[in-house]
Amino acid sequence: MRPRPGQSDVRSVERIDDPREADARVLEHLASLGCDPSEPRLVRHFFYAVDRSDAEHVAEALASEGWATSTEECGDAWLVVAAHLHALTFALVDRTRTVLETLAAQHRAHYDGWEADRS
C-alpha cells in the first residue's frame, strides 16, 4: 500500500532512555488500544547473559517463583524469556522491573525489558 499524497511511508520510532518512562509509555499505548490494565495478560520479560550458567541461574530463580522460562543461545549471548500472567498497573510494572534488574545483576545478566499480549 502506497502512502497518500503528503504522507510518509516511514514510521517514526521513539527512543526513550529512561526504562521507567518507557514502561509508562507502553502502558499508555496498551490503554489507547483498549486494553484493560486490570485484566490479567501474558507478560514476557527478557534477559541476556554472556555465560550459559548465568542465564540458567536466572531462569531457575524465576521458575522457582512460578514463572514459565526458556533459555536459548542467541548470537554471543544467552537469552532468557520469563513469562507470567498478571495485570499491568504502573506500580506492579515498576516493582517487577526493580526485582528483575536486581536478579539480573546478581547473576551477571542484563534485564532487557518486557512485552505484553494485547488481550
Side-chain angles (χ1 to χ4, degrees):
M1 178 177 214
R2 296 186 139 195
R4 291 185 218 149
Q7 288 183 329
S8 172
D9 63 346
V10 176
R11 294 182 186 210
S12 65
V13 175
E14 185 176 10
R15 173 99 177 136
I16 302 172
D17 292 325
D18 179 3
R20 284 179 166 70
E21 183 181 341
D23 290 343
R25 295 278 181 94
V26 170
L27 293 172
E28 290 170 6
H29 182 68
L30 287 169
S32 76
L33 294 172
C35 298
D36 179 357
S38 66
E39 184 178 308
R41 66 189 72 250
L42 187 65
V43 181
R44 285 171 295 284
H45 297 266
F46 305 94
F47 301 82
Y48 289 94
V50 173
D51 187 72
R52 180 181 184 163
S53 66
D54 292 330
E56 289 173 346
H57 285 115
V58 169
E60 289 166 5
L62 291 166
S64 73
E65 296 290 326
W67 295 71
T69 63
S70 65
T71 304
E72 66 182 74
E73 193 169 14
C74 184
D76 292 337
W78 288 86
L79 168 66
V80 176
V81 179
H84 201 266
L85 188 68
H86 56 217
L88 289 174
T89 64
F90 182 76
L92 178 63
V93 169
D94 192 52
R95 278 192 314 271
T96 301
R97 173 174 288 283
T98 298
V99 167
L100 297 182
E101 286 177 343
T102 300
L103 175 67
Q106 291 169 342
H107 296 288
R108 297 181 304 175
H110 171 74
Y111 175 63
D112 197 38
W114 58 279
E115 69 181 18
D117 288 349
R118 283 182 42 186
S119 55

